[in-house]
Amino acid sequence: MKAPINWLKDYVDIDLEYKDFADKMTMSGSKVEGLEEQGEEISKVVVGKILSMEKHPNADRLQVCKVDTGNEDIQIVTGADNINEGDLVPIALAGATLAEGKKISKGKLRGMVSEGMMCSVEELGFSKEDYPDAPDDGIYIIGQSYPVGTDIKEVLGLDDTIVEFEITSNRPDCLSIIGLAREAAVTLNKDFKKPDISLKEMGDEAQKYAEVEIKDADLCPRYAARIVKDVKIEPSPKWMRDRLKAAGVRPINNIVDITNYVMLEYGQPMHAFDLTDIEGQKIIVRRALEGEEIKTLDDIDRKLDSSMLVIADEKRPVAVAGVMGATNSEISEETKTILFESANFNGPSVRITAKKLGLRTESSGRFEKGLDVQNTLLAVDRAVQLVEELNAGVVCKGVIDCYEKKQQDRELKFSPQSINELLGTNVTVEEMIKIFKSLEFKVNESDLTVKIPSFRQDIEREADLAEEVARFYGYNNIEATLLSGKASTLGKKTFKQKTEDMIKDTMIACGLSETYTYSFTSPKVFDRIKLPKESELRNTVDIQNPLGEDFSIMRTTTIPEMLQVISTNYNRRIEEVGLFEKSFVYIPKQQPVKELPVEKPVLTLGMYGKADFYTLKGVVEELFSVLGITKYDFVPEKNNPTFHPGRTAVVKINDQYVGTIGEIHPDVSDEFECPQRTYIGVIEIEKLVDNASLEFEYTPLPKFPAMTRDIAMLVKDEVLVKEIEDILKQRGGKILEEIKLFDVYKGKQVPDGMKSVAYSITFRAADKTLKEEDVNKAMKKILDGLKKNIGAELR
Amino acid sequence: MKEQLNSIKNKAEAEISNVETISELENVRVKYLGKKGELTSVLRGMGSLTPEERPVVGQMANEIRSFLENRLVDVKKELAKKERDLRLKEEVIDVTMPGKVKSLGKKHPLTSVIDEITEVFIGMGYEIAEGPEVEKDYYNFEALNIPENHPAKDVQDTFYINENMLLRTQTSPVQIRVMENKKPPIKVICPGRVYRSDAVDATHSPIFHQVEGLVVDKGVTMGDLIGTLKIFAKSVFGEKTDIRLRPHHFPFTEPSAEVDVSCWTCGGKGCRVCKGEGWIEILGAGMVHPNVLECCGIDSSVYSGFAFGLGAERTAMGRFNIDDMRLLYENDIRFLKQF
């Protein structure tokens, strides 16, 4: 809401620095977004009178003028051709600044000194729209008489400062000069100068001219109208145009300007109908008929439905209630008799209608917040007062006011004690009463009840009264206290939260950096990662109103986003990255979605560069170790179409699936423009949490020496080291302490289809020093097992 | 025999004095004192001596042996020192060469900010509460005192799944879920991901993160809210930080406030970071609206509470001087590694 300060000053004295005023208003709840001094950038531009004009001796198109600027006569060389001797024009003196910071200095034009410049409205930062009397192209000739030397800002009506307020949705009353002045008065501890409306009403009875009937009072509690006859449509006076412009509204003609002026001043949207266009001189407020049509003032034909409220005459709708009027009853140059509408419409209804029509207007924006039902009468009276003041027509006697179900002012009881208990203050009853009264609440001091004026629909309960007390007592005067003694609780993280922290910490310790990616994605990603058509991951939670197809489904897999991040880095020529993300996938419980979906937390790993499969696997193993998870397996996975068939493993804990890790299939890498060797892992966090044990028990350090044997064996190529290790563990007996793979070799001296695998095997007993024969016995069992089960030959 | 012994002694000593390496020295030791060494051989011939001579020569031989042994030890020490000095001289490295380390990964700046905030509140006795991102309309709006047809419910701001389900636009629904399931005293902090239908640009993202706090108990006051936020601001933004509350409106709190902290860059004098204001808006807060308490079955005449919430992105951008929100979701490793 843009409020020109001079307008506010009509209703409250503002005698402090505007910056301080802005701060005070902000701190009492009317947040000031900015202060704009009109014509801030324009300086040293004054009214000058052209005394004489002569042709430039050296240039055909230039004129040399003598100009009286008040203090002195100066010489100006100009190319303008719309000026005459005796004209008053804006003169930028040497050293002046104009719109967009343009600076003017003394200079010479073809040998003749020019001590300033005559200005157009454009050079002063305006357009012809702002000043209809300005020429299309040329110097602005000032129509009215001003003394020479007058600051041009005064001529242009730029002597105001505009305060830009951010008004919260609960205070539609403050979307008006009156409402803001009322707040300012309480804030500054000044009197609110209530507007005084007195009317001459020289015309005959308004009732003779028109009739109003409300058919759907649920959507229109009140409709007030006044009639003005013998209307003269003309531009409104400069003061009104200046104020409208300052508030950001374009002046049009006196009648339209009055409706806008009243809307800004009172916060009540108004409409003016050309009464001669109202069939049967009857205004009917009713729901639209299904499919009824109307051409709104923006010249668009619109189809209505029966949920929408319209203003109609006996035959057709003449306005969409609270949203926009129709062209069929628009004010024109020929309009002689008008009907001013000032009505109260149901907020949600206006909002839904505006939304359905895709037609949000200043009016609908105000109605949807819920307006004061009593304001309708004040506003319509103010409008016709302005008609009389502007001599724009003859106001008929009386107001046509349809208001069936009278709204009672709300009454609230308050307890100073409970208000103080909520705020943590010691505000006295007297202080509270003073604040309420200054807000125009009527206080019954004997039983501590307040009657809430109708413009404060936001005051519903005692807590709302507490806020009013706090606002004017000063939020920052409330003493800061601590909760000690009350609400004493133990601050802690749950096991799950701690485990998740450890997962992140471990990833970071393993050199991976954390990413954040969007949790909605495109339905196209499934094809891009080669998911089969029947994959259950294609069953998604869909967004009804997404930002676009690319963001239209909640993801069921995190792989595409990780690939995208890898691609971004790779395409920026970064040699190596290691990344992880802790995030959710969203799995619907049914289609169409009825219950909330399952939000499954997953850990996603991604790397390229020096990394290979075993780097990725190492990270997962380290994570298991940190989480105390020991019973896990990596099982070759050949059938996941997203991954390389020979370089992928399913990860299992206690034989249960927890995730997949591996090299991305080259088709998918190509699709995402990722490097050929891209490694991705996805692990389900809930299963990690279920299997984690953060309790560790100490194992005594060994007291007796260990014995180590190295063996190398030849096995068939397809034998997994896990098979060998299972045999070693199973056959090594209690004294087997550790096995370490130290070499896998294929090539010279190893037959085709075979590989050489070498282990270092450590034995140790907890209670004695081992003897050769103990170890020999164990080794024999191992070697027999290797030979029998996988045909291994010792090398 | 005495002469023989003396000559061995002199010979050996001369040789000991002339060796240059420890291995040469060892050769000398073996030559004279070894099992088959010269001194040892001489001693073996003691049997031919008279009983009178034997102790004399024996003593002499032992004296020579221990003399030579001491000399060997001394010379060995000397040589070892020489050799070590030589080695140290040769083993110069270039200490300006790069160190070898497996570098750590980094926490995302949003995680850093969220962790830092939650830690402060855990220290003040809060628990961490979580709730679903795909949420029921009821929890996101109605239970928070945002009625049907309220402008805040506008489709323009909210992503809907269906009529009754949406992507939560705030972490506040977690408040409701906590209050429905737990009796006061309640002290929780709820970090989480939220969604609003904003197009992506330098200061907007359709996905962002909030941290919400809620306290409900008997006798909780607005003064307690202010005190809590002061501690929070000082812990996160520095000991000298001050806060300022401005009246505002949120449907689910009454009274409501926007909370500014004094600028962490200039300390309140006004600078580029705070746009000359000296204050930076960081939080929304207020006393839990009695309608909200009652909606969760908590008697508002007995209990009161406060709630507050802040945006993690804005905090992170402010703290780390990040000028474009898109950087947070682009995940360029050169960006991520800076935190």
Side-chain angles (χ1 to χ4, degrees):
Chain A
M1 167 87 195
K2 280 180 160 183
I5 235 165
N6 286 341
W7 201 344
L8 287 172
K9 281 179 171 174
D10 285 355
Y11 302 108
V12 62
D13 287 336
I14 299 170
D15 52 8
L16 65 174
E17 290 275 325
Y18 294 160
K19 172 86 180 59
D20 296 341
F21 169 67
D23 286 347
K24 285 207 152 107
M25 290 299 281
T26 294
M27 296 314 286
S28 72
S30 307
K31 188 180 181 190
V32 174
E33 291 278 88
L35 278 177
E36 181 203 333
E37 204 182 302
Q38 284 189 314
E40 230 166 345
E41 37 183 25
I42 297 171
S43 71
K44 291 190 87 175
V45 183
V46 299
V47 176
K49 186 175 187 177
I50 301 173
L51 301 174
S52 66
M53 292 168 57
E54 272 167 38
K55 259 191 71 168
H56 193 294
N58 308 322
D60 286 347
R61 294 206 173 165
L62 296 180
Q63 311 247 32
V64 181
C65 309
K66 276 261 172 305
V67 181
D68 178 4
T69 63
N71 285 340
E72 53 174 345
D73 295 352
I74 61 170
Q75 174 172 299
I76 291 178
V77 181
T78 176
D81 53 11
N82 70 322
I83 49 170
N84 291 298
E85 280 181 15
D87 281 349
L88 291 178
V89 293
I91 302 292
L93 303 170
T97 53
L98 302 180
E100 283 156 28
K102 187 177 172 188
K103 287 204 158 57
I104 302 301
S105 52
K106 213 179 211 176
K108 269 188 186 174
L109 275 170
R110 296 278 182 104
M112 296 294 283
V113 172
S114 185
E115 296 171 281
M117 191 182 88
M118 300 181 196
C119 307
S120 64
V121 285
E122 285 80 10
E123 281 157 333
L124 295 168
F126 294 93
S127 66
K128 195 173 150 18
E129 228 170 43
D130 301 309
Y131 294 93
D133 53 333
D136 280 336
D137 183 22
I139 305 303
Y140 180 48
I141 314 290
I142 299 163
Q144 282 160 288
S145 158
Y146 282 94
V148 288
T150 308
D151 190 328
I152 199 69
K153 289 189 220 171
E154 199 187 317
V155 177
L156 297 175
L158 299 182
D159 54 346
D160 213 342
T161 295
I162 295 142
V163 193
E164 170 111 47
F165 288 99
E166 183 201 296
I167 302 300
T168 53
S169 64
N170 62 326
R171 292 299 304 273
D173 62 304
C174 285
L175 290 169
S176 69
I177 299 294
I178 297 278
L180 286 168
R182 191 185 282 122
E183 280 288 316
V186 189
T187 304
L188 304 177
N189 211 0
K190 299 267 187 199
D191 286 336
F192 169 53
K193 296 186 271 183
K194 270 196 176 172
D196 171 33
I197 298 174
S198 54
L199 299 172
K200 296 196 208 84
E201 297 182 288
M202 305 292 277
D204 41 0
E205 297 291 325
Q207 265 83 358
K208 281 194 204 161
Y209 291 85
E211 193 187 329
V212 173
E213 183 191 353
I214 301 176
K215 284 208 166 135
D216 290 303
D218 56 331
L219 301 186
C220 176
R222 190 173 200 175
Y223 194 104
R226 271 185 176 274
I227 308 295
V228 178
K229 58 179 197 174
D230 302 333
V231 172
K232 284 172 292 191
I233 302 289
E234 58 187 12
S236 45
K238 183 169 176 304
W239 67 264
M240 184 178 272
R241 282 189 283 126
D242 286 345
R243 278 196 175 172
L244 289 174
K245 278 186 286 186
V249 174
R250 193 162 60 89
I252 293 168
N253 62 43
N254 51 359
I255 298 300
V256 176
D257 290 357
I258 285 172
T259 60
N260 283 330
Y261 191 89
V262 173
M263 177 173 73
L264 293 169
E265 194 171 58
Y266 278 74
Q268 169 69 44
M270 295 189 64
H271 188 65
F273 296 101
D274 187 330
L275 193 57
T276 44
D277 293 332
I278 303 293
E279 300 268 358
Q281 260 94 61
K282 187 164 180 189
I283 292 284
I284 302 165
V285 186
R286 59 165 170 86
R287 283 184 164 84
L289 305 172
E290 201 63 42
E292 204 167 7
E293 286 184 19
I294 189 170
K295 181 184 260 191
T296 42
L297 287 173
D298 53 0
D299 255 339
I300 294 174
D301 287 309
R302 297 175 189 273
K303 243 199 176 82
L304 306 173
D305 70 44
S306 59
S307 74
M308 301 171 176
L309 191 72
V310 294
I311 313 302
D313 59 20
E314 287 191 323
K315 295 214 168 118
R316 57 197 180 152
V318 291
V320 182
V323 182
M324 194 179 268
T327 52
N328 57 22
S329 52
E330 191 180 357
I331 302 293
S332 69
E333 297 287 326
E334 285 76 46
T335 298
K336 284 288 164 250
T337 313
I338 57 170
L339 180 144
F340 273 121
E341 163 197 294
S342 177
N344 190 266
F345 300 118
N346 173 279
S349 158
V350 171
R351 179 169 165 270
I352 292 164
T353 302
K355 210 163 72 182
K356 279 188 184 165
L357 294 176
L359 182 61
R360 284 225 142 146
T361 58
E362 174 78 33
S363 166
S364 73
R366 286 167 179 270
F367 275 118
E368 70 179 33
K369 295 188 176 76
L371 295 184
D372 172 13
V373 74
Q374 310 297 0
N375 206 21
T376 53
L377 224 47
L378 300 171
V380 80
D381 284 353
R382 174 63 170 153
V384 293
Q385 184 195 26
L386 287 166
V387 168
E388 290 182 344
E389 205 176 315
L390 267 50
N391 236 337
V394 176
V395 176
C396 290
K397 270 196 193 64
V399 56
I400 305 166
D401 184 17
C402 284
Y403 182 34
E404 281 296 314
K405 236 173 109 190
K406 300 268 184 294
Q407 187 187 299
Q408 294 300 316
D409 283 349
R410 191 178 282 123
E411 254 189 12
L412 291 177
K413 232 179 144 43
F414 74 98
S415 147
Q417 189 198 340
S418 61
I419 287 179
N420 276 323
E421 275 172 8
L422 183 67
L423 299 179
T425 50
N426 287 307
V427 182
T428 62
V429 190
E430 292 73 30
E431 276 179 89
M432 289 187 193
I433 289 171
K434 183 167 170 272
I435 289 168
F436 294 150
K437 281 185 170 168
S438 65
L439 287 163
E440 294 183 47
F441 299 0
K442 289 195 188 74
V443 185
N444 182 333
E445 296 185 26
S446 58
D447 65 355
L448 295 183
T449 54
V450 280
K451 211 174 210 173
I452 310 301
S454 61
F455 57 81
R456 290 301 304 274
Q457 289 300 311
D458 61 306
I459 306 289
E460 294 177 319
R461 312 185 49 146
E462 192 178 55
D464 301 314
L465 292 174
E467 180 173 81
E468 299 306 293
V469 170
R471 282 205 299 140
F472 296 105
Y473 174 78
Y475 274 22
N476 298 295
N477 294 326
I478 297 172
E479 193 193 343
T481 49
L482 284 180
L483 281 166
S484 64
K486 309 169 204 165
S488 77
T489 50
L490 190 61
K492 60 178 189 294
K493 288 184 181 177
T494 60
F495 177 79
K496 171 177 153 282
Q497 289 159 353
K498 276 190 226 163
T499 307
E500 288 178 356
D501 283 356
M502 285 185 81
I503 292 172
K504 282 194 178 187
D505 291 346
T506 307
M507 292 303 107
I508 287 163
C510 288
L512 308 188
S513 291
E514 191 184 11
T515 64
Y516 272 54
T517 59
Y518 282 0
S519 28
F520 40 52
T521 189
S522 162
K524 289 188 182 133
V525 295
F526 302 124
D527 288 341
R528 296 183 74 200
I529 61 169
K530 294 177 65 179
L531 274 191
K533 289 280 172 254
E534 67 281 5
S535 167
E536 58 188 32
L537 295 181
R538 289 179 183 262
N539 176 22
T540 56
V541 176
D542 301 348
I543 300 166
Q544 273 185 349
N545 55 330
L547 283 180
E549 201 203 5
D550 285 353
F551 308 107
S552 63
I553 60 163
M554 298 306 286
R555 64 181 171 188
T556 52
T557 165
T558 51
I559 292 174
E561 278 75 36
M562 184 53 89
L563 288 174
Q564 193 52 57
V565 171
I566 283 177
S567 173
T568 300
N569 281 285
Y570 182 60
N571 285 314
R572 292 177 183 178
R573 299 180 189 284
I574 292 156
E575 284 172 14
E576 181 171 30
V577 301
L579 303 165
F580 78 96
E581 178 168 12
K582 193 228 122 183
S583 57
F584 292 101
V585 291
Y586 308 81
I587 312 295
K589 286 187 182 154
Q590 67 281 100
Q591 284 298 357
V593 175
K594 285 196 204 93
E595 289 169 81
L596 293 182
V598 175
E599 298 184 10
K600 199 157 79 171
V602 292
L603 172 68
T604 313
L605 310 174
M607 47 179 76
Y608 72 81
K610 283 186 208 124
D612 61 15
F613 175 85
Y614 300 105
T615 318
L616 178 61
K617 182 180 174 184
V619 170
V620 177
E621 286 176 315
E622 186 62 23
L623 178 62
F624 288 162
S625 154
V626 168
L627 298 179
I629 296 171
T630 50
K631 288 191 177 145
Y632 57 83
D633 289 309
F634 292 83
V635 183
E637 166 64 55
K638 296 185 167 57
N639 301 316
N640 188 325
T642 307
F643 288 91
H644 189 307
R647 298 184 167 193
T648 300
V650 153
V651 187
K652 291 186 171 180
I653 299 176
N654 289 327
D655 277 336
Q656 199 193 12
Y657 174 89
V658 297
T660 300
I661 66 167
E663 186 175 308
I664 286 296
H665 196 288
D667 292 350
V668 178
S669 294
D670 287 348
E671 170 65 27
F672 282 86
E673 293 180 41
C674 287
Q676 282 303 300
R677 305 286 180 213
T678 294
Y679 296 89
I680 298 282
V682 180
I683 310 280
E684 295 180 11
I685 290 177
E686 273 168 356
K687 291 190 182 146
L688 294 179
V689 174
D690 288 347
N691 288 290
S693 85
L694 303 182
E695 308 286 321
F696 291 95
E697 201 180 318
Y698 148 83
T699 313
L701 300 179
K703 292 195 185 71
F704 298 96
M707 289 182 79
T708 301
R709 296 287 169 87
D710 291 352
I711 55 167
M713 67 195 94
L714 279 176
V715 293
K716 288 202 187 104
D717 231 357
E718 60 270 22
V719 172
L720 302 178
V721 293
K722 175 170 189 311
E723 295 173 53
I724 299 172
E725 287 173 12
D726 283 348
I727 294 167
L728 297 180
K729 282 180 202 159
Q730 192 194 324
R731 300 214 154 215
K734 267 205 301 204
I735 58 171
L736 179 78
E737 187 181 63
E738 194 189 9
I739 51 174
K740 221 188 262 165
L741 176 71
F742 68 85
D743 187 39
V744 178
Y745 174 73
K746 286 200 287 192
K748 254 196 227 164
Q749 288 156 10
V750 175
D752 273 356
M754 305 286 276
K755 61 184 171 187
S756 161
V757 182
Y759 277 94
S760 177
I761 307 170
T762 306
F763 299 92
R764 195 198 299 268
D767 53 353
K768 60 172 188 183
T769 301
L770 286 176
K771 293 195 186 101
E772 281 292 317
E773 52 265 38
D774 299 328
V775 174
N776 290 344
K777 237 164 78 183
M779 281 305 291
K780 182 164 187 312
K781 269 185 84 176
I782 286 173
L783 296 176
D784 289 351
L786 288 171
K787 185 159 189 132
K788 204 175 95 198
N789 294 345
I790 54 170
E793 277 175 54
L794 217 54
R795 288 186 79 199
Chain B
M1 201 161 211
K2 281 184 190 166
E3 291 79 53
Q4 211 183 342
L5 281 171
N6 273 327
S7 112
I8 287 171
K9 180 188 170 193
N10 293 338
K11 234 167 66 190
E13 204 200 337
E15 278 179 43
I16 287 169
S17 304
N18 283 332
V19 296
E20 283 184 353
T21 67
I22 289 177
S23 58
E24 278 175 36
L25 187 70
E26 178 62 14
N27 290 343
V28 177
R29 186 188 68 80
V30 172
K31 183 173 171 193
Y32 295 97
L33 302 181
K35 276 183 191 161
K36 290 173 186 165
E38 288 184 26
L39 186 66
T40 323
S41 312
V42 171
L43 288 176
R44 274 208 200 101
M46 290 243 300
S48 61
L49 295 180
T50 62
E52 294 78 31
E53 278 175 322
R54 245 184 250 158
V56 181
V57 174
Q59 193 190 349
M60 188 177 164
N62 281 334
E63 277 169 14
I64 291 171
R65 169 178 279 275
S66 71
F67 168 79
L68 288 178
E69 274 171 357
N70 285 339
R71 278 293 292 151
L72 280 167
V73 169
D74 290 348
V75 171
K76 191 172 179 181
K77 263 191 203 157
E78 244 169 65
L79 286 175
K81 187 174 179 306
K82 235 192 224 162
E83 279 181 22
R84 180 158 293 181
D85 286 346
L86 190 69
R87 180 162 74 85
L88 290 178
K89 221 179 236 170
E90 284 166 353
E91 284 177 348
V92 176
I93 59 159
D94 180 354
V95 294
T96 65
M97 299 253 283
K100 292 178 205 165
V101 69
K102 172 99 183 77
S103 72
L104 294 180
K106 290 291 174 70
K107 257 187 201 175
H108 194 278
L110 288 173
T111 301
S112 305
V113 164
I114 291 168
D115 282 358
E116 195 177 348
I117 295 168
T118 45
E119 287 304 324
V120 171
F121 284 99
I122 285 175
M124 289 197 270
Y126 289 62
E127 288 176 50
I128 301 175
E130 291 156 292
E133 294 171 16
V134 183
E135 183 55 284
K136 289 180 181 157
D137 184 277
Y138 171 82
Y139 286 103
N140 197 69
F141 291 124
E142 206 181 318
L144 288 162
N145 202 31
I146 306 171
E148 197 66 35
N149 287 315
H150 191 278
K153 276 193 70 170
D154 225 307
V155 150
Q156 278 149 309
D157 306 317
T158 310
F159 291 117
Y160 279 92
I161 302 301
N162 60 38
E163 217 173 86
N164 307 312
M165 209 182 284
L166 43 73
L167 302 184
R168 66 178 177 193
T169 60
Q170 48 196 357
T171 41
S172 309
V174 185
Q175 286 185 25
I176 306 295
R177 290 182 172 273
V178 170
M179 284 190 277
E180 279 182 351
N181 290 311
K182 202 169 179 290
K183 292 233 155 2
I186 292 170
K187 273 169 111 179
V188 292
I189 189 101
C190 337
R193 180 170 277 208
V194 300
Y195 301 79
R196 280 185 209 171
S197 185
D198 281 325
V200 180
D201 65 25
T203 52
H204 292 91
S205 167
I207 291 182
F208 57 103
H209 297 78
Q210 290 184 333
V211 183
E212 184 103 0
L214 172 74
V215 171
V216 180
D217 199 6
K218 288 178 186 164
V220 176
T221 71
M222 192 157 168
D224 295 335
L225 168 64
I226 297 172
T228 301
L229 293 180
K230 272 199 169 148
I231 293 182
F232 158 74
K234 285 179 194 301
S235 318
V236 174
F237 299 106
E239 196 46 44
K240 285 186 186 143
T241 308
D242 201 1
I243 63 165
R244 173 178 95 162
L245 280 78
R246 285 179 285 102
H248 196 69
H249 170 67
F250 303 109
F252 35 92
T253 49
E254 188 76 27
S256 303
E258 280 187 329
V259 184
D260 301 332
V261 298
S262 52
C263 177
W264 45 75
T265 303
C266 65
K269 287 195 285 284
C271 69
R272 196 179 55 83
V273 171
C274 58
K275 300 189 186 81
E277 293 284 315
W279 296 96
I280 296 173
E281 183 194 325
I282 203 91
L283 280 148
M287 303 305 292
V288 181
H289 199 292
N291 291 356
V292 173
L293 292 174
E294 284 155 19
C295 188
C296 300
I298 294 174
D299 186 346
S300 70
S301 66
V302 178
Y303 293 100
S304 58
F306 63 71
F308 56 86
L310 81 166
E313 275 77 1
R314 285 188 61 171
T315 310
M317 289 172 77
R319 281 287 298 281
F320 304 125
N321 219 352
I322 299 168
D323 53 5
D324 192 329
M325 203 183 277
R326 285 169 290 207
L327 288 166
L328 295 169
Y329 292 94
E330 190 180 67
N331 301 300
D332 187 314
I333 193 86
R334 294 166 299 183
F335 172 80
L336 298 175
K337 285 275 190 182
Q338 291 180 26
F339 302 95

